[in-house]
Coordinates of all heavy atoms in Angstrom, one line a residue:
A224 N 0.8 -1.2 0.0 CA 0.0 0.0 0.0 C 0.9 1.3 0.0 O 0.6 2.2 -0.7 CB -0.9 0.0 1.2
L225 N 1.9 1.3 0.8 CA 2.8 2.4 0.9 C 3.5 2.7 -0.5 O 3.6 3.8 -0.9 CB 3.9 2.2 2.0 CG 3.4 2.3 3.4 CD1 4.5 1.7 4.3 CD2 3.1 3.7 3.8
E226 N 4.0 1.6 -1.1 CA 4.7 1.8 -2.4 C 3.8 2.2 -3.5 O 4.2 2.8 -4.5 CB 5.4 0.5 -2.7 CG 6.6 0.1 -1.8 CD 7.2 -1.2 -2.1 OE1 6.5 -2.0 -2.8 OE2 8.3 -1.4 -1.6
S227 N 2.4 1.9 -3.3 CA 1.5 2.4 -4.3 C 1.0 3.8 -4.1 O 0.1 4.3 -4.8 CB 0.3 1.4 -4.3 OG 0.7 0.1 -4.6
G228 N 1.5 4.4 -3.1 CA 1.1 5.8 -2.8 C -0.1 5.9 -1.8 O -0.7 7.0 -1.7
G229 N -0.4 4.8 -1.1 CA -1.5 4.9 -0.2 C -1.0 5.4 1.2 O 0.2 5.3 1.5
V230 N -2.0 5.8 2.0 CA -1.8 6.2 3.4 C -2.3 5.0 4.2 O -3.5 4.6 4.0 CB -2.5 7.5 3.7 CG1 -2.4 7.8 5.2 CG2 -1.9 8.7 3.0
I231 N -1.5 4.5 5.1 CA -1.9 3.4 5.9 C -2.0 3.8 7.4 O -1.6 4.9 7.7 CB -1.0 2.2 5.8 CG1 0.4 2.5 6.4 CG2 -0.8 1.8 4.3 CD1 1.3 1.3 6.6
A232 N -2.6 3.0 8.2 CA -2.6 3.2 9.6 C -1.8 2.1 10.3 O -2.0 1.0 10.0 CB -4.1 3.3 10.2
I233 N -1.0 2.5 11.3 CA -0.2 1.6 12.1 C -0.4 1.8 13.6 O -0.6 3.0 14.0 CB 1.3 1.7 11.7 CG1 1.9 3.0 12.0 CG2 1.5 1.3 10.2 CD1 3.4 3.1 11.8
P234 N -0.3 0.8 14.4 CA -0.3 1.0 15.8 C 1.1 1.5 16.3 O 2.1 1.2 15.7 CB -0.6 -0.5 16.3 CG 0.1 -1.3 15.3 CD -0.1 -0.6 14.0
T235 N 1.1 2.2 17.3 CA 2.3 2.7 18.0 C 2.2 2.5 19.5 O 1.1 2.1 20.0 CB 2.7 4.1 17.6 OG1 1.9 5.0 18.4 CG2 2.6 4.4 16.2
D236 N 3.2 2.9 20.2 CA 3.2 2.8 21.6 C 2.3 3.9 22.3 O 2.0 3.9 23.5 CB 4.6 2.9 22.2 CG 5.4 4.1 21.6 OD1 5.1 4.5 20.5 OD2 6.3 4.5 22.3
T237 N 1.9 4.9 21.5 CA 1.0 5.9 22.0 C -0.4 5.7 21.4 O -1.3 5.3 22.1 CB 1.5 7.3 21.7 OG1 1.8 7.5 20.3 CG2 2.8 7.6 22.4
V238 N -0.6 6.1 20.1 CA -1.9 5.9 19.4 C -1.7 5.3 18.0 O -0.5 5.2 17.6 CB -2.7 7.2 19.3 CG1 -3.0 7.8 20.7 CG2 -1.9 8.2 18.5
Y239 N -2.7 5.0 17.3 CA -2.6 4.6 15.9 C -2.2 5.8 15.1 O -2.7 7.0 15.4 CB -3.9 4.0 15.4 CG -4.0 2.5 15.5 CD1 -4.2 1.9 16.8 CD2 -3.8 1.6 14.5 CE1 -4.2 0.5 17.0 CE2 -3.9 0.3 14.6 CZ -4.1 -0.3 15.9 OH -4.1 -1.6 16.0
G240 N -1.4 5.6 14.1 CA -0.9 6.7 13.3 C -1.2 6.5 11.8 O -1.2 5.4 11.3
L241 N -1.4 7.6 11.1 CA -1.4 7.6 9.7 C 0.0 7.7 9.1 O 0.7 8.6 9.5 CB -2.3 8.8 9.1 CG -3.8 8.8 9.4 CD1 -4.4 10.1 8.9 CD2 -4.4 7.6 8.8
A242 N 0.3 6.8 8.2 CA 1.7 6.7 7.7 C 1.7 6.8 6.2 O 0.9 6.2 5.5 CB 2.4 5.4 8.2
A243 N 2.8 7.5 5.7 CA 3.0 7.6 4.3 C 4.5 7.5 4.0 O 5.3 7.9 4.8 CB 2.4 8.9 3.8
S244 N 4.8 7.0 2.8 CA 6.2 6.9 2.4 C 6.7 8.3 2.1 O 6.1 9.2 1.5 CB 6.3 6.1 1.1 OG 7.6 6.2 0.5
L245 N 8.0 8.5 2.5 CA 8.6 9.8 2.3 C 9.0 10.0 0.8 O 9.3 11.1 0.4 CB 9.9 9.9 3.1 CG 9.7 9.9 4.6 CD1 11.0 9.8 5.3 CD2 9.0 11.2 5.0
H246 N 8.8 8.9 0.0 CA 9.1 9.0 -1.4 C 7.9 9.3 -2.2 O 8.0 9.4 -3.5 CB 9.8 7.7 -1.9 CG 11.0 7.4 -1.1 ND1 12.2 8.1 -1.2 CD2 11.3 6.3 -0.3 CE1 13.1 7.6 -0.4 NE2 12.6 6.5 0.2
R247 N 6.7 9.3 -1.6 CA 5.5 9.6 -2.3 C 4.8 10.9 -1.8 O 4.1 10.9 -0.8 CB 4.5 8.4 -2.1 CG 5.0 7.1 -2.7 CD 5.1 7.1 -4.2 NE 3.8 7.5 -4.8 CZ 3.1 6.7 -5.6 NH1 3.5 5.4 -5.8 NH2 2.0 7.1 -6.2
R248 N 5.2 11.9 -2.5 CA 4.7 13.3 -2.1 C 3.1 13.3 -2.2 O 2.5 14.0 -1.4 CB 5.3 14.3 -3.0 CG 6.8 14.5 -2.8 CD 7.4 15.5 -3.7 NE 8.9 15.6 -3.5 CZ 9.4 16.5 -2.7 NH1 8.7 17.3 -1.9 NH2 10.7 16.5 -2.5
D249 N 2.6 12.5 -3.1 CA 1.1 12.5 -3.2 C 0.5 11.9 -2.0 O -0.5 12.4 -1.5 CB 0.6 11.7 -4.5 CG 1.3 10.3 -4.5 OD1 2.3 10.1 -3.9 OD2 0.7 9.5 -5.3
A250 N 1.1 10.9 -1.4 CA 0.6 10.3 -0.2 C 0.8 11.3 1.0 O -0.1 11.3 1.9 CB 1.4 9.0 0.1
L251 N 1.9 12.0 1.1 CA 2.2 12.9 2.1 C 1.1 14.0 2.1 O 0.5 14.4 3.2 CB 3.5 13.6 2.0 CG 4.7 12.6 2.2 CD1 6.0 13.3 1.8 CD2 4.8 12.1 3.6
R252 N 0.7 14.5 0.9 CA -0.3 15.5 0.8 C -1.7 14.9 1.2 O -2.5 15.6 1.8 CB -0.4 16.1 -0.6 CG 0.8 16.9 -1.0 CD 0.6 17.6 -2.3 NE 0.5 16.7 -3.4 CZ 1.6 16.4 -4.2 NH1 2.8 16.8 -3.9 NH2 1.4 15.5 -5.2
R253 N -1.9 13.6 0.9 CA -3.1 13.0 1.2 C -3.4 12.9 2.7 O -4.5 12.9 3.2 CB -3.2 11.6 0.6 CG -4.6 11.0 0.5 CD -4.6 9.7 -0.3 NE -4.3 10.0 -1.7 CZ -3.2 9.5 -2.4 NH1 -2.4 8.7 -1.8 NH2 -3.0 9.9 -3.6
I254 N -2.3 12.8 3.5 CA -2.5 12.7 5.0 C -3.2 14.0 5.5 O -4.1 13.9 6.3 CB -1.1 12.6 5.7 CG1 -0.5 11.2 5.6 CG2 -1.2 13.0 7.2 CD1 0.8 11.0 6.3

């Protein structure tokens, strides 16, 4: 999903986060 330019959600030690690849500017804007 990340490599396709998608925004995913991942669990962390605090809360779930929205994650995007640093190589996909379209995904960063989508966040």
Side-chain angles (χ1 to χ4, degrees):
L225 288 166
E226 291 177 344
S227 299
V230 174
I231 69 170
I233 62 173
T235 75
D236 48 335
T237 54
V238 296
Y239 269 73
L241 292 176
S244 169
L245 295 170
H246 304 293
R247 294 296 303 248
R248 294 177 182 269
D249 52 342
L251 295 171
R252 292 190 293 268
R253 194 170 297 120
I254 285 183

